[in-house]
Amino acid sequence: MKIYGVVGYKNAGKTGLMERLVTEISGRGLRVSTIKHAHHSFDVDQPDKDSYRHRKAGAQQVLLASKSRWALMTELRVQPEPPLADLLAQLAPVDLVLIEGYKRGDHPKVEAYRAAAGNPLIAPDDPTVRAVAADMPLTIDRQLFDLDDTKAIADFILTEVRL
């Protein structure tokens, strides 16, 4: 599987860019999956639902299935967060996996940047950031895209991964 990341600080436009890229790339007939890294605890399960109760009771994994989808939840308890490579190995084969976050990973990335967020650029100190998608003109030694030019960013990523 080919992988490509979207990184940036909070409020940089990562999630919106990811959503647009998934729509654009899957619209071209390619199969796309995503991984989203969270820096906080999260819960995809709802209190008082059966699967939540199974997990809270101590189940290591809970697989929830219906005719529409299935989801596998794994509790880490005291285990460390798994490396990205281990998570990628859990995915079914697709043409491209887009990864939101994992800015310290060694995979290629495009950085989302919004000036109003007031954060520094990641790209100058990270050679794995191959391009920047910004909402303003920047002087940088990487490919620069308008943050809203989804087609051009998708073209760049697909060329980079040879798809």
Side-chain angles (χ1 to χ4, degrees), residues 1-7 18 21 25 33-35 88 96-101 107-111 128-131 145 153 156-162:
M1 286 188 299
K2 310 288 187 165
I3 66 170
Y4 215 90
V6 173
V7 297
M18 284 280 292
L21 286 170
I25 295 169
S33 289
T34 65
I35 292 180
L88 286 164
L96 178 66
V97 178
L98 290 172
I99 302 165
E100 182 178 341
H107 56 282
K109 305 168 193 77
V110 61
E111 178 177 358
T128 67
V129 175
R130 306 275 173 83
F145 296 100
I153 299 166
F156 176 81
I157 290 171
L158 294 175
T159 298
E160 283 260 297
V161 298
R162 295 182 174 103

Side-chain angles (χ1 to χ4, degrees), residues 83-142:
L84 179 58
D86 291 358
L87 299 173
L88 286 164
Q90 298 296 316
L91 295 176
V94 293
D95 299 308
L96 178 66
V97 178
L98 290 172
I99 302 165
E100 182 178 341
Y102 287 98
K103 66 176 149 262
R104 308 253 184 280
D106 61 1
H107 56 282
K109 305 168 193 77
V110 61
E111 178 177 358
Y113 179 81
R114 283 193 198 284
N119 294 306
L121 277 169
I122 297 167
D125 298 320
D126 187 345
T128 67
V129 175
R130 306 275 173 83
V132 175
D135 65 348
M136 61 176 286
L138 298 171
T139 302
I140 188 153
D141 64 346
R142 312 290 157 83

Side-chain angles (χ1 to χ4, degrees), residues 60 74-82:
Q60 185 69 30
T74 302
E75 282 297 306
L76 295 176
R77 309 244 186 259
V78 296
Q79 299 168 36
E81 181 178 343

